[in-house]
């Protein structure tokens, strides 16, 4: 098998499909004899695949025959009915190819072998027995065997027919078939002792079954003689094979010795040629070495000069780089200094603006308080004058004094308009104060309530407010409580703090 595998490796890539198919067929046959079912299946399939690629009728016919035998062996191992159908299909494919391409097939006996195998499948494996199909393929095998003088196929076909006839009870037909097979096997020039051995044994078994013991013993002896002759022939064949192998080995050894001598002589020739080449190479090396040294010396001088120039240029570049880095450093320092100055100026400007804003806010608050105080004082004075006028109208005093008082009161009343102007100015300074007070109140506040709120905003105490309004401090506290209720504040809330928060908004 190693030789077949080596041959296959040699054929790789050559697309010699026919030869590859034949080699795979040989490998299939070897593994089938060894009962190696996996490799038998593998190489049978490869045989068919390469045969189909070759488009060679004989190779394809042989490959389908291999597949039929492979399926039969696989069936016998696993008893899978599908494999039996596959075996029949493959066998029939082989016969079909043979019929279509008969003129192009050299091995004509192949048709008879395939037909006999199909008949055997029908007889041994197909249940129930399909007798007509079996007889049909037996007839094909016998006709082809007779045409091509294939004694083994004819005898085996008649033996199978005899066995079938015995099963059917046709003993006369079974005997006739076996005797016809005996006549065919004995009348050939070259006896096939293996066929004769099996045939005589079948005749012996037949006559023993039918009670003709003398005939049975006679054919049993003939079977033993045929087997002995077969062994002698096999031994002679083995002896001839061994002699052939020995002679082949002697020739191979002689050829090996001659090859070794030729190889040794060739090695000597190669050695001499090598010595000459080495001598020439040595001279060439010496010449090239001298030439190389000369070129190396010149190249070294040029390299030293180049390195000197490069060093000078590098020093100049380093100096320029240092100068550039120094300028970059100076520029960075200047930029940092300018940035610091800019930040400092921005900080100072922000502080100045904040101080000015604070000053403006302080002045604004001070002016607001002054305006509010003046307005409240003016309102208080006008109230007092109004009360005085009313009292003068109800009490009796001299006419002159009355005129003088009226003059003074009228002058004072004229100042009422100033309160509204002051109030307007107060709104300009703090325009949201009175409206914000009204917005946060749950009930509308009166002018007196707003006056109290203004006093509270000015942070006047209860005592100061009582002196200005000429009322008791208790009245002031009652008015504060009433304003707190109008504002909707809780009992724990502080009115002064609430108004102060509204003043700061």
């Amino acid at each position: 098998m190693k030789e077949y595998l080596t041959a296959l490796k040699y054929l790789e890539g050559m697309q010699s499909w026919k030869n590859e198919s034949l080699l795979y067929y040989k490998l299939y046959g070897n593994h089938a004899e060894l009962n190696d079912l996996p490799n038998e299946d593998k190489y049978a399939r490869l045989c068919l695949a390469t045969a189909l690629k070759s488009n060679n009728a004989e190779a394809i016919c042989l490959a389908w025959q291999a597949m039929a035998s492979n399926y039969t062996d696989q069936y016998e191992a696993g008893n899978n009915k599908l494999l039996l159908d596959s075996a029949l299909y493959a066998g029939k494919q082989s016969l079909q190819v043979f019929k279509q391409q008969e003129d192009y097939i050299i091995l004509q006996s192949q048709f008879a072998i395939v037909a006999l195998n199909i008949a055997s499948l029908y007889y041994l494996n197909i249940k129930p027995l399909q007798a007509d199909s079996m007889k049909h393929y037996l007839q094909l095998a016998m006709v082809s065997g007779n045409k091509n003088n294939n004694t083994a196929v004819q005898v085996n076909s008649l033996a199978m027919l005899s066995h079938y006839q015995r099963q059917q009870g046709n003993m006369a037909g079974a005997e006739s078939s076996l005797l016809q097979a005996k006549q065919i096997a004995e009348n050939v020039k070259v006896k096939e002792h293996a066929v004769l051995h099996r045939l005589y044994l079948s005749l012996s078994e037949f006559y023993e079954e039918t009670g003709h013991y003398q005939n049975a013993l006679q054919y049993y002896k003939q079977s033993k003689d045929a087997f002995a002759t077969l062994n002698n022939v096999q031994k002679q064949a083995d002896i001839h094979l061994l002699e052939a192998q020995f002679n082949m080995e002697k020739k191979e050894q002689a050829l090996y010795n001659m090859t070794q001598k030729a190889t040794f002589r060739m090695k000597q020739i190669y050695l001499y040629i090598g010595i000459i080449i080495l001598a020439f190479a040595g001279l060439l090396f010496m010449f090239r070495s001298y030439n190389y040294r000369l070129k190396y010396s010149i190249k070294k001088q040029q390299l030293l000069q180049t390195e000197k120039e490069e060093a000078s240029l590098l020093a100049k570049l380093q100096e320029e780089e240092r100068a550039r880095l120094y300028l970059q450093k100076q520029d960075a320092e200047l930029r940092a200094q300018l940035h610091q100055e800019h930040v400092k100026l921005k900080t100072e400007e922000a502080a100045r603006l904040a101080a000015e804003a604070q000053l403006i806010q302080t002045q604004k608050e001070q002016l607001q308080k002054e305006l509010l105080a003046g307005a409240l004082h003016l309102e208080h004075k006008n109230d007092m004058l109004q009360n005085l006028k009313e009292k003068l109208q109800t009490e009796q005093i001299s006419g002159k004094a009355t005129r003088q008082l009226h003059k003074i009161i009228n002058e004072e009343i004229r100042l009422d308009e100033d309160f509204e102007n002051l109030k307007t100015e107060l709104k300009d300074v703090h325009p949201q104060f009175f409206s914000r007070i009204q917005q946060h109140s749950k009930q509308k506040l009166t002018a007196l309530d707003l006056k109290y709120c203004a006093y509270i905003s000015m942070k006047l105490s209860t005592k100061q407010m009582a002196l200005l309004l000429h009322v008791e401090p208790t009245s002031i506290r009652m008015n504060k409580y009433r304003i707190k209720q109008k504002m909707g504040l809780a009992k724990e809330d502080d009115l002064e703090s609430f108004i102060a928060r509204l003043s700061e908004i």
Side-chain angles (χ1 to χ4, degrees), residues 57-58 61 94-112 140 143-144 147-148:
E58 190 159 17
C61 188
S94 179
L95 292 182
Q96 184 179 357
V97 172
F98 188 93
K99 289 177 181 179
Q100 292 174 350
Q101 306 287 336
E102 184 177 359
D103 295 338
Y104 300 97
I105 295 175
I106 298 173
L107 193 61
Q108 291 289 314
S109 62
Q110 191 171 332
F111 180 86
L140 290 177
V143 171
S144 178
K147 179 180 177 181
N148 296 290

Side-chain angles (χ1 to χ4, degrees), residues 34-285:
L34 296 172
N35 200 28
D36 183 359
L37 295 180
N39 281 318
E40 178 186 350
D41 181 69
K42 171 185 173 183
Y43 289 112
R45 292 179 185 278
L46 288 171
C47 175
L48 178 60
T50 48
L52 292 173
K53 288 181 181 179
S54 72
N55 204 27
N56 180 273
E58 190 159 17
I60 295 171
C61 188
L62 200 63
W64 278 117
Q65 177 191 342
M67 285 301 298
S69 299
N70 169 52
Y71 285 133
T72 303
D73 293 341
Q74 301 291 336
Y75 165 73
E76 291 174 353
N79 202 26
N80 185 346
K81 295 292 184 181
L82 294 176
L83 292 172
L84 198 58
D85 294 337
S86 299
L88 286 172
Y89 173 78
K92 291 175 181 179
Q93 285 292 110
S94 179
L95 292 182
Q96 184 179 357
V97 172
F98 188 93
K99 289 177 181 179
Q100 292 174 350
Q101 306 287 336
E102 184 177 359
D103 295 338
Y104 300 97
I105 295 175
I106 298 173
L107 193 61
Q108 291 289 314
S109 62
Q110 191 171 332
F111 180 86
I113 294 170
V114 175
L116 181 60
N117 287 339
I118 294 175
S120 177
L121 281 173
Y122 276 114
Y123 180 61
L124 297 176
N125 298 312
I126 302 298
K127 305 299 179 184
L129 177 64
Q130 298 180 19
D132 292 338
S133 297
M134 180 198 72
K135 290 178 182 179
H136 170 70
Y137 286 105
L138 278 178
Q139 183 65 26
L140 290 177
M142 290 175 65
V143 171
S144 178
N146 183 46
K147 179 180 177 181
N148 296 290
N149 296 319
N150 191 325
T151 305
V153 170
Q154 294 180 72
V155 171
N156 287 330
S157 298
L158 288 168
M160 185 183 299
L161 181 61
S162 172
H163 198 276
Y164 168 71
Q165 289 169 338
R166 284 166 62 186
Q167 284 185 342
Q168 299 299 315
N170 185 5
M171 295 301 180
E175 181 181 13
S176 175
S177 297
L178 286 175
L179 292 175
Q180 185 181 352
K182 172 178 174 294
Q183 184 179 3
I184 293 171
E186 291 177 345
N187 288 338
V188 295
K189 292 181 180 180
V190 180
K191 302 290 190 297
E192 295 187 26
H193 299 286
V195 174
L196 286 171
H197 165 66
R198 290 193 298 272
L199 179 59
Y200 291 148
L201 193 59
S202 295
L203 283 166
S204 175
E205 291 173 353
F206 172 77
Y207 283 120
E208 184 179 3
E209 181 181 350
T210 56
H212 297 82
Y213 299 111
Q214 186 175 355
N215 290 338
L217 179 60
Q218 177 187 349
Y219 283 114
Y220 180 72
K221 289 180 180 179
Q222 288 181 343
S223 170
K224 288 182 65 177
D225 293 341
F227 184 74
T229 305
L230 177 64
N231 281 338
N232 292 332
V233 172
Q234 188 65 43
K235 287 179 182 178
Q236 290 295 325
D238 292 340
I239 291 171
H240 288 311
L241 179 61
L242 289 172
E243 289 177 351
Q245 288 179 347
F246 177 73
N247 291 331
M248 182 64 70
E249 288 176 359
K250 284 177 64 178
K251 290 179 181 179
E252 287 179 353
Q253 185 63 38
L255 180 61
Y256 174 76
N257 292 335
M258 291 176 65
T259 304
Q260 288 294 102
K261 288 181 181 180
T263 303
F264 178 73
R265 288 177 184 174
M266 289 301 297
K267 286 181 178 179
Q268 283 183 328
I269 294 171
Y270 290 149
L271 178 62
Y272 295 146
I273 294 172
I275 292 171
I276 294 170
I277 292 173
L278 287 173
F280 179 75
L283 292 173
L284 181 62
F285 175 75

Side-chain angles (χ1 to χ4, degrees), residues 427-445:
K427 287 184 178 180
D428 292 337
V429 176
H430 201 334
Q432 300 297 326
F433 177 73
F434 292 110
S435 61
R436 195 177 296 121
I437 289 291
Q438 288 285 11
Q439 287 176 1
H440 284 79
S441 176
K442 301 296 182 181
Q443 302 177 21
K444 186 175 181 180
L445 299 175

